[in-house]
Each structure stands twice: as C-alpha cells, then as structure tokens.
Amino acid sequence: MALSKTERRQRIKNRIRKVISGTAVKPRLAVFRSNKEIYAQLVDDVEGVTLASASSRDKDIADSKGTKIEISALVGKAIAEKALKSGIETVSFDRGGYLYHGRVKSLAEGAREAGLKF
C-alpha cells in the first residue's frame, strides 16, 4: 500500500535528521511549511533549545503583501538577521522533508542574501 503524503515526508525527514544536527556554533535551520504559513527556527540539538525563530505570522511580515514565495523570502531574511544579531554566521539547512523548490527554496535564498552561510 502506498504511503500517504505525511508518512512519506516523515520518512524523508527522519533520513535527513540522521545526518544533520545543530550545535550552538552551527545550529540547524529547520523549516516547517503549512498550506498558508511558513516557519523557520534555529535549533541547537545538543542542548535541545531553539535559538531564534521567524515565521510568516510575525507582525512585520504578516502586514506585507505578496505571494507565498515572496513572503517566504522575507522570512528567510528575518531569520538571517536574527542569527547574525546573535553571532551565528553558519547554519546547517534542514528542509524538513520538503522538496527544495518553491517556498522552501525561496526561504533558503532569502537567508543567503541576508548573509547566512550554509
């Protein structure tokens, strides 16, 4: 029997997480995408702590108009600014089982443009 979308994504996510983990120096940039919103957070997996987060529901981003892809780029820039402010320059990108295109790719490119390295 074929896997459902969520089961398939969970398997891919587990496969990615076997390889990628975050530290305080190089945290994991985790992405979650729902139908309407997109969320990104910097996670230190050693301590089990979220260092910074940004989402399309933040007030400054939610007020802006545009497509979901444009808003994803804004979320990427916001998380990069928060990371750089707290002294984090490099991260490991965790796409969370989603394909690297569309909103996930836009978020990653927005973070790279704002100065985050991965």
Side-chain angles (χ1 to χ4, degrees), residues 58-113:
D58 293 345
K59 288 186 188 257
D60 54 338
I61 297 172
D63 294 339
S64 61
K65 301 289 182 199
T67 63
K68 289 192 276 190
I69 290 178
E70 293 165 351
I71 290 172
S72 297
L74 294 176
V75 172
K77 289 177 184 173
I79 194 74
E81 289 168 5
K82 289 180 181 180
L84 294 173
K85 192 178 287 183
S86 62
I88 299 167
E89 294 180 2
T90 59
V91 297
S92 53
F93 188 70
D94 176 11
R95 59 190 175 90
Y98 303 108
L99 295 177
Y100 186 79
H101 77 99
R103 290 191 281 160
V104 176
K105 183 177 179 180
S106 174
L107 187 142
E109 289 174 351
R112 280 194 187 105
E113 286 175 15

Side-chain angles (χ1 to χ4, degrees), residues 12-58:
I12 295 168
K13 184 179 177 181
N14 292 339
R15 199 178 325 138
I16 292 168
R17 286 298 309 281
K18 278 194 274 189
V19 178
I20 295 174
S21 73
T23 63
V25 178
K26 187 178 179 182
R28 175 172 56 93
L29 175 57
V31 176
F32 176 74
R33 175 176 64 90
S34 71
N35 285 339
K36 289 187 176 182
E37 313 289 347
I38 191 157
Y39 306 85
Q41 54 184 344
L42 297 173
V43 181
D44 176 5
D45 290 315
V46 176
E47 296 292 322
V49 178
T50 298
L51 305 173
S53 65
S55 75
S56 56
R57 298 186 74 182
D58 293 345

